[in-house]
Amino acid sequence: PSLNNLKRWGLTSEDRWPLCGQSQTIMHVLSSCYISLCVGKLTWRHNLVLKHVVHFLSQRCGSGVRILTDLPNHPLQYSQVPIELGLTTKRPDIFVIDDVNKVVGFLEHRVPDEESMEGRHSEKLERQRSYVEDASNLGWTSLNLCFEIGTRGFHNPNGSYAQSLAWVKL
């Protein structure tokens, strides 16, 4: 239980999280603590989920399909956006590129608290709009896939998670 709940139940007199001094609620610890963000705890969780997604994709995509990720020190890590997809300084979490059919999937992942999933999903879709436009202008069919797996492990049923997995099976 969080210190916030323990205090509410009368089992402790203090609810401040030693890491940052804020009230230790589950939401604060899992998604909004500034100190956790600064020391990389939130990025660690994001990257852990992303590693599993990259592994899943690499096991299911056929030959001729490239998987690139921005995960640090990953064998499929890319250093710059492939030039054939356009010029951008933005870096999606994952590219799935079918060079033969000129199809590219831009996958973005977020780990928001479950209460703000819809807003985060819309932010990611907007962020990826330029990828889709650039690739389309260069003759690519592009798929803009955003998925959220919340801080407590739930996926966004209105997001592209199921669509992302279905696309990989094609």
Side-chain angles (χ1 to χ4, degrees):
S2 67
L3 288 175
N4 179 271
N5 281 339
L6 292 174
K7 182 177 179 183
R8 187 171 10 163
W9 300 332
L11 299 174
T12 185
S13 61
E14 184 58 50
D15 71 345
R16 300 288 167 202
W17 194 24
L19 187 63
C20 68
Q22 299 293 317
S23 178
Q24 188 203 47
T25 65
I26 295 299
M27 283 300 113
H28 178 76
V29 169
L30 294 178
S31 68
S32 62
C33 178
Y34 180 73
I35 302 296
S36 289
L37 178 63
C38 289
V39 299
K41 290 183 180 207
L42 304 182
T43 302
W44 172 84
R45 185 173 54 238
H46 170 271
N47 289 349
L48 186 64
V49 171
L50 208 55
K51 284 178 188 176
H52 287 284
V53 173
V54 169
H55 177 74
F56 174 86
L57 292 171
S58 64
Q59 296 296 311
R60 283 160 181 81
C61 287
S63 62
V65 175
R66 291 184 286 156
I67 311 258
L68 303 174
T69 181
D70 71 346
L71 282 168
N73 304 315
H74 192 279
L76 301 174
Q77 180 184 14
Y78 66 93
S79 57
Q80 62 186 32
V81 174
I83 192 72
E84 64 269 25
L85 299 176
L87 298 173
T88 182
T89 57
K90 296 179 180 177
R91 298 174 56 93
D93 290 328
I94 302 171
F95 284 107
V96 179
I97 305 169
D98 180 344
D99 291 300
V100 174
N101 297 304
K102 287 193 82 168
V103 176
V104 60
F106 303 102
L107 281 78
E108 282 284 343
H109 166 53
R110 267 254 164 74
V111 186
D113 60 80
E114 280 72 6
E115 288 75 15
S116 64
M117 270 193 193
E118 285 302 317
R120 298 297 174 245
H121 181 74
S122 297
E123 288 172 10
K124 282 287 188 178
L125 285 174
E126 184 59 35
R127 178 178 174 214
Q128 286 182 238
R129 184 182 306 222
S130 65
Y131 306 148
V132 172
E133 290 171 359
D134 288 349
S136 295
N137 290 336
L138 293 169
W140 288 80
T141 300
S142 54
L143 302 167
N144 187 1
L145 305 170
C146 299
F147 62 99
E148 297 79 27
I149 298 182
T151 55
R152 293 175 291 205
F154 298 103
H155 73 88
N156 181 358
N158 299 320
S160 300
Y161 181 72
Q163 180 185 359
S164 302
L165 299 182
W167 180 72
V168 170
K169 293 178 182 179
L170 295 178

